[in-house]
């Protein structure tokens, strides 16, 4: 229970700066993530790069978001030494938030869809958190708030605060890091930045930063099936929703989230799930290590950008995100039995994609399956 006593306020003034210092010290111990070139002989003059976010201490892009959310909550006076942190998450954000909660000595509860992979649940538990599973993905929001109220804690609410917690001008900014790392490349100013949307916070950061710095770079957002973001991009209707959970963990949402800002996005690609998984598998083979399914979604959207550049005779660079490792999905996306049971067998699509990356020609079946909007509409 919150208290406004003088003793409590004095205690908070001591604890909050110490908590911020712990988070900042953790940041100082961390190095930046790698930018990996991926040569593709089918696209001469067009360079593709992967920003490898799997190398963060908690193994995913969401490490950046979790750090920003904790600093935002601390500086807003929402977290105290006795707070229980609660978050609605499909897994990766919860893993990262559990890490920071443990760093501050705070209990952590993740409210997640029951379809979340066992590997992600185990990773949250390893970081000291506990998991509260729900059947309907639309209930994770209300259930998170209910638990926070019941426990006298704080609901972090990544889907509302992701775009505002991150400093999109500079500090702790993935966009600034990309442009810094591209400085000595053949095409240092990317033609496209490509990112899938979970909360929408990363895409918002990319879009805002290129506008703030007056870059000519375009931003493309990738969306999986069973998500409303693409339809919202087209219609701007905020009341869109659907009750099926995205089959690509970590991205896509059943409702329009406050952090998704279509105004800063130049194009969108809605990627069929089977093609996301085909791209995940093919990219893993080419890198020599496994990647997660949202990275496959990103690769397909990047392919749309590269295909347009090739058609127009343009040279340049495209940067997308390697969101997390495939190690978290051994019992799902890397299981042939699981793929078969879920109607996601992607052997034919992977073979077609491999030929496309080597030839520069889009797989014949893909343009009929994906949906494209914005600056890519002519692809």
């Amino acid at each position: 229970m919150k208290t406004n006593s003088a003793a409590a306020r004095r205690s908070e003034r001591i604890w909050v700066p110490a908590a911020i210092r712990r988070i900042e010290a953790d940041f100082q111990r961390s190095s930046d993530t790698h930018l990996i070139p991926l040569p593709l002989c089918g696209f001469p003059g067009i360079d593709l790069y992967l920003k490898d976010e799997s190398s963060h201490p908690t193994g995913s892009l969401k490490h950046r978001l979790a750090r920003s959310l904790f600093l935002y909550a601390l500086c807003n006076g929402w977290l105290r030494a006795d707070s229980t942190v609660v978050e609605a998450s499909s897994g990766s954000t919860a893993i990262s938030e559990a890490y920071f909660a443990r760093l501050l000595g705070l209990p952590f509860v993740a409210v997640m869809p029951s379809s979340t992979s066992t590997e992600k649940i185990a990773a949250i538990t390893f970081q000291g958190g506990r998991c509260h599973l729900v059947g309907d993905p639309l209930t994770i929001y209300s259930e998170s708030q209910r638990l926070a109220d019941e426990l006298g804690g704080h609901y972090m609410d990544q889907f509302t605060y992701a775009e505002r917690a991150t400093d999109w001008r500079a500090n702790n900014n993935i966009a600034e890091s990309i442009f810094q790392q591209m400085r000595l490349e053949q095409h240092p100013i990317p033609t496209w930045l490509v990112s899938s949307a979970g909360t929408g916070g990363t895409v918002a950061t990319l879009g805002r930063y290129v506008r703030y710095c007056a870059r000519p770079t375009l931003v493309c957002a990738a969306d999986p099936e069973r998500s409303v973001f693409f339809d919202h991009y087209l219609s701007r209707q905020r009341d869109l929703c659907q009750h099926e959970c995205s089959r690509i963990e970590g991205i896509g949402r059943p409702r329009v989230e406050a952090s998704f800002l279509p105004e800063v996005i130049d194009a969108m690609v809605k990627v069929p799930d089977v093609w996301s998984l085909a791209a995940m598998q093919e990219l893993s083979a080419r890198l020599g290590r496994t990647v997660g399914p949202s990275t496959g979604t990103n690769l397909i959207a990047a392919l749309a950008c590269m295909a347009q550049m090739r058609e127009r005779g343009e040279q340049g660079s495209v940067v997308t995100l390697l969101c997390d490792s495939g190690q978290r999905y051994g019992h799902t996306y890397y299981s042939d039995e699981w793929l078969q049971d879920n109607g996601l067998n992607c052997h034919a699509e992977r073979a077609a994609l491999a030929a496309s990356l080597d030839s520069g020609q889009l797989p014949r079946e893909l343009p009929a399956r994906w949906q494209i909007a914005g600056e890519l509409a002519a692809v």
Side-chain angles (χ1 to χ4, degrees):
M1 182 178 294
K2 294 183 179 179
T3 176
N4 291 318
S5 71
R9 290 196 298 272
R10 284 194 298 272
S11 177
E12 184 176 337
R13 283 198 298 269
I14 295 171
W15 183 80
V16 169
I20 292 172
R21 184 181 178 86
R22 283 192 212 109
I23 292 174
E24 291 298 310
D26 180 80
F27 176 68
Q28 291 299 315
R29 293 192 295 269
S30 302
S31 60
D32 200 357
T33 58
H34 297 291
L35 192 65
I36 302 172
L38 184 70
L40 298 174
C41 57
F43 295 88
I46 302 174
D47 301 325
L48 177 63
Y49 299 83
L50 302 166
K51 179 69 165 162
D52 184 8
E53 296 293 285
S54 71
S55 59
H56 283 294
T58 53
S60 82
L61 168 67
K62 299 300 185 180
H63 192 84
R64 293 179 188 268
L65 172 59
R67 182 194 297 125
S68 294
L69 287 168
F70 267 82
L71 291 173
Y72 191 69
L74 286 163
C75 293
N76 282 332
W78 298 341
L79 283 180
R80 306 178 314 280
D82 60 348
S83 295
T84 295
V85 180
V86 181
E87 183 61 284
S89 172
S90 61
S92 288
T93 302
I95 295 168
S96 298
E97 287 191 19
Y99 171 90
F100 285 105
R102 185 170 70 171
L103 187 69
L104 302 185
L106 302 177
F108 177 78
V109 182
V111 180
M112 303 185 299
S114 55
S115 59
T116 303
S117 71
T118 56
E119 289 89 348
K120 283 189 175 180
I121 293 172
I124 293 165
T125 304
F126 175 80
Q127 295 293 350
R130 68 179 178 91
C131 302
H132 182 86
L133 303 181
V134 298
D136 183 351
L138 280 175
T139 65
I140 62 173
Y141 316 94
S142 58
E143 186 65 5
S144 295
Q145 188 62 67
R146 185 193 69 78
L147 277 175
D149 292 342
E150 179 183 291
L151 298 169
H154 173 63
Y155 170 29
M156 199 68 86
D157 195 1
Q158 59 165 322
F159 299 108
T160 296
Y161 296 110
E163 55 86 11
R164 64 194 75 172
T166 302
D167 183 353
W168 48 268
R169 294 176 186 85
N171 182 42
N172 191 27
N173 182 329
I174 191 171
E176 180 189 41
S177 175
I178 288 171
F179 279 97
Q180 288 291 323
Q181 290 177 314
M182 288 290 293
R183 288 196 319 275
L184 301 181
E185 300 302 313
Q186 183 177 4
H187 304 288
I189 305 299
T191 304
W192 286 96
L193 297 176
V194 180
S195 172
S196 48
T199 61
T202 298
V203 179
T205 297
L206 296 174
R208 286 167 160 171
Y209 185 82
V210 297
R211 286 158 176 75
Y212 179 68
C213 296
R215 305 289 193 183
T217 302
L218 299 173
V219 174
C220 175
D223 203 30
E225 296 175 15
R226 301 184 181 180
S227 173
V228 301
F229 285 150
F230 183 87
D231 291 336
H232 175 61
Y233 183 73
L234 294 177
S235 69
R236 297 301 199 265
Q237 289 180 248
R238 296 214 62 86
D239 60 351
L240 298 174
C241 66
Q242 72 138 293
H243 286 273
E244 287 185 298
C245 188
S246 171
R247 293 184 294 183
I248 306 299
E249 275 192 31
I251 62 172
R253 300 302 305 158
R255 72 174 193 183
V256 180
E257 306 295 352
S259 286
F260 183 75
L261 306 179
E263 294 80 8
V264 302
I265 297 170
D266 299 295
M268 280 201 75
V269 182
K270 192 174 185 72
V271 180
D273 292 345
V274 69
W275 283 94
S276 290
L277 300 181
M280 174 196 77
Q281 292 186 1
E282 181 60 24
L283 180 58
S284 295
R286 292 182 181 231
L287 290 178
R289 60 188 178 94
T290 59
V291 302
S294 58
T295 303
T297 307
N298 288 344
L299 180 59
I300 295 295
L303 179 62
C305 299
M306 296 168 70
Q308 184 188 73
M309 293 172 66
R310 188 178 189 276
E311 184 179 312
R312 292 177 173 178
E314 297 175 354
Q315 296 190 347
S317 57
V318 176
V319 180
T320 190
L321 307 183
L322 195 167
C323 302
D324 63 359
S325 165
Q327 292 178 341
R328 294 176 172 176
Y329 310 101
H331 292 91
T332 52
Y333 305 111
Y334 283 97
S335 164
D336 288 339
E337 182 179 356
W338 186 92
L339 293 175
Q340 192 68 41
D341 289 345
N342 286 273
L344 293 171
N345 185 303
C346 57
H347 293 310
E349 288 81 5
R350 178 181 171 184
L353 179 63
S356 173
L357 296 177
D358 291 336
S359 69
Q361 301 298 322
L362 287 176
R364 185 173 53 189
E365 310 90 331
L366 189 52
R369 294 287 313 279
W370 65 15
Q371 293 176 265
I372 292 180
E375 293 289 331
L376 289 174
V379 173

